[in-house]
Amino acid sequence: MKSVLVYCEVENQKVADISQELLSAGKRLAQKLDCSLEAMIFGKELKNIENQIAPYGVDKLFVGDDTRLEPYRTLPHAALATEVLKKEDPQIVLFGATSVGRDLAPRIASAVNCGLTADCTVLDIGDHFVKKEKKEYKNLLYAIRPAFGGSIMANIINWDMHPQMATVREGVMKKEIFDKNYVTEVVNIDVNKIIKEEDFVVKIIERHIEESDVNIKDAPIIVAGGYGVGSKENFQLLQDLADLLGGEVGGSRAAVDAGFIDHDRQIGQTGTTVRPKLYIAAGISGAIQHTAGMQDSSLIISINNDAEAPINKLADYVINGDLAEVIPKMIKFYKKN
Ligand code: FAD
């Protein structure tokens, strides 16, 4: 039976955000294809894990529950995922473009002898006419991903591949609960039948988890600054505005490269993808690599001294002026109100 299959990442019984995003995207594709949405999850102590997954409209969930499956190691996860793929024969398989997904997806693609479109930012279903074959292929996965260093967005269609496989960038798909009361069929995998002792040849000696208190991904308001801000010191102005509005400060890559702001606050293709309610872009020109990471913001205000700056075309409101004059006025205004 045709299906869309999502590989879910889990740690300490919490399904990763990226997997929730993928399940939402997978459900939209499954609805277009009129087929079921399936998921697989491998980790430890996964009793009742379906409660986190079912609301995304998952019809069938394959669970591999074994203490040895967490933290992630390539070989056991690859063995289990490949087994599910061979058994279910899905039309589409999705992974996060995370360190886990980037490690696992190519290995599985090669195990089942199909292609892989990596780092996608858009997924859809469409038909494709292949001139050489004079044949139209129906209901294919259409994937869009940045190519040539991000200077173009490439549409990629693997019409002669089965399954069609993709990794998807974090934060680009919107998390959407399908039905809080959705009932998912759970299939418990007999892990010992599939994985072998030699699959654990890699021993994890130590793990370092970098803690960061920066959370621009979920911030409802972002005041982002670009090269036009001019200096690290000038970013304090943006911080003051963000503090007043209850938001976070972000930046363009040019601002990061110039040392005005830390890399964990970079927004865009090689930074974080955000979709806040309000995005204030100050001194940002609007290169495609930047807008790829913020174009889904609900409301965009651009502050720029160049009326022709490309970001102004994307913005809902444009304040044409010097940010060093505009932002203090905004701070004054918000302090009053
Ligand atoms: P600029 O393009 O220099 O723009 C500065 C803007 O500030 C101008 O519009 C100017 O008019 C305005 N300005 C100047 N002074 C003032 C003032 N006083 N008041 C108001 N406005 C003023 N970029 C990202 O942002 N994120 C990414 O993830 C990213 N990934 C990339 C990946 C690759 C592979 C490549 C090749 C590039 C990537 N880039 C990324 C870089 C991107 O192409 C642009 O170079 C970058 O976004 C430009 O940053 P900017 O808009 O801050 O600077």
Side-chain angles (χ1 to χ4, degrees):
M1 202 185 72
K2 215 162 58 169
S3 64
V4 175
L5 176 64
V6 173
Y7 171 85
C8 293
E9 294 178 34
V10 63
E11 192 148 317
N12 299 327
Q13 293 84 38
K14 162 98 178 64
V15 176
D17 283 346
I18 174 68
S19 305
Q20 297 174 46
E21 292 160 19
L22 284 183
L23 290 170
S24 310
K27 189 66 186 179
R28 287 191 288 277
L29 298 177
Q31 284 178 304
K32 287 194 175 179
L33 290 169
D34 195 19
C35 73
S36 60
L37 174 64
E38 300 184 340
M40 50 185 165
I41 191 161
F42 314 131
K44 68 175 181 200
E45 294 158 23
L46 298 184
K47 196 164 169 262
N48 299 331
I49 199 73
E50 65 275 17
N51 295 345
Q52 290 177 53
I53 286 176
Y56 291 98
V58 176
D59 298 291
K60 206 193 247 185
L61 172 66
F62 292 86
V63 180
D65 192 346
D66 188 304
T67 45
R68 295 170 299 167
L69 292 172
E70 216 178 300
Y72 166 85
R73 271 179 285 184
T74 315
L75 295 179
H77 278 245
L80 292 168
T82 307
E83 187 68 20
V84 174
L85 249 79
K86 286 186 175 160
K87 185 167 175 281
E88 289 304 293
D89 190 26
Q91 179 177 342
I92 293 171
V93 190
L94 304 178
F95 297 84
T98 57
S99 50
V100 168
R102 284 177 175 147
D103 178 59
L104 189 60
R107 185 171 281 267
I108 293 168
S110 108
V112 297
N113 200 21
C114 73
L116 172 70
T117 310
D119 255 351
C120 301
T121 53
V122 178
L123 297 176
D124 206 349
I125 301 293
D127 302 334
H128 183 60
F129 183 77
V130 181
K131 272 192 202 152
K132 218 163 83 185
E133 297 178 20
K134 294 195 180 78
K135 185 174 165 188
E136 186 166 46
Y137 288 81
K138 296 238 171 251
N139 291 328
L140 296 167
L141 178 69
Y142 265 68
I144 299 183
R145 54 151 295 160
F148 293 106
S151 39
I152 61 161
M153 299 304 275
N155 281 289
I156 299 187
I157 310 149
N158 286 322
W159 67 86
D160 52 357
M161 293 285 178
H162 181 85
Q164 295 170 295
M165 221 182 262
T167 64
V168 179
R169 284 205 52 175
E170 285 182 84
V172 297
M173 301 291 166
K174 206 172 172 182
K175 266 195 239 172
E176 267 169 335
I177 297 289
F178 179 72
D179 177 355
K180 280 200 306 267
N181 302 315
Y182 207 80
V183 180
T184 299
E185 179 195 349
V186 177
V187 180
N188 287 305
I189 302 174
D190 189 347
V191 172
N192 287 321
K193 267 194 177 160
I194 299 164
I195 50 180
K196 301 180 215 79
E197 213 37 58
E198 54 262 37
D199 289 332
F200 295 97
V201 63
V202 173
K203 306 280 179 230
I204 297 167
I205 295 163
E206 218 176 318
R207 286 180 89 208
H208 291 276
I209 297 171
E210 207 172 300
E211 300 290 347
S212 167
D213 52 6
V214 176
N215 184 11
I216 53 168
K217 194 168 149 246
D218 299 320
I221 296 174
I222 294 177
V223 182
Y227 194 68
V229 174
S231 70
K232 194 172 180 167
E233 292 67 42
N234 290 354
F235 255 84
Q236 187 54 46
L237 210 51
L238 276 66
Q239 185 69 59
D240 293 346
L241 181 59
D243 290 345
L244 206 55
L245 299 175
E248 287 279 353
V249 172
S252 70
R253 179 157 141 182
V256 172
D257 288 348
F260 301 167
I261 186 167
D262 291 338
H263 178 256
D264 54 5
R265 293 186 183 272
Q266 183 182 314
I267 291 159
Q269 190 192 308
T270 41
T272 304
T273 301
V274 297
R275 51 174 86 242
K277 290 200 177 100
L278 172 62
Y279 190 89
I280 300 176
I284 293 180
S285 59
I288 183 170
Q289 295 90 353
H290 183 80
T291 57
M294 47 64 73
Q295 62 197 0
D296 289 333
S297 305
S298 307
L299 190 87
I300 300 169
I301 300 175
S302 164
I303 306 168
N304 204 301
N305 60 8
D306 174 8
E308 304 298 319
I311 193 141
N312 294 351
K313 289 201 179 79
L314 191 67
D316 299 283
Y317 296 98
V318 174
I319 303 174
N320 185 210
D322 184 342
L323 63 90
E325 288 170 19
V326 175
I327 295 185
K329 281 185 188 161
M330 288 173 90
I331 292 174
K332 207 168 154 193
F333 173 81
Y334 286 118
K335 270 190 180 160
K336 255 199 227 157
N337 295 280

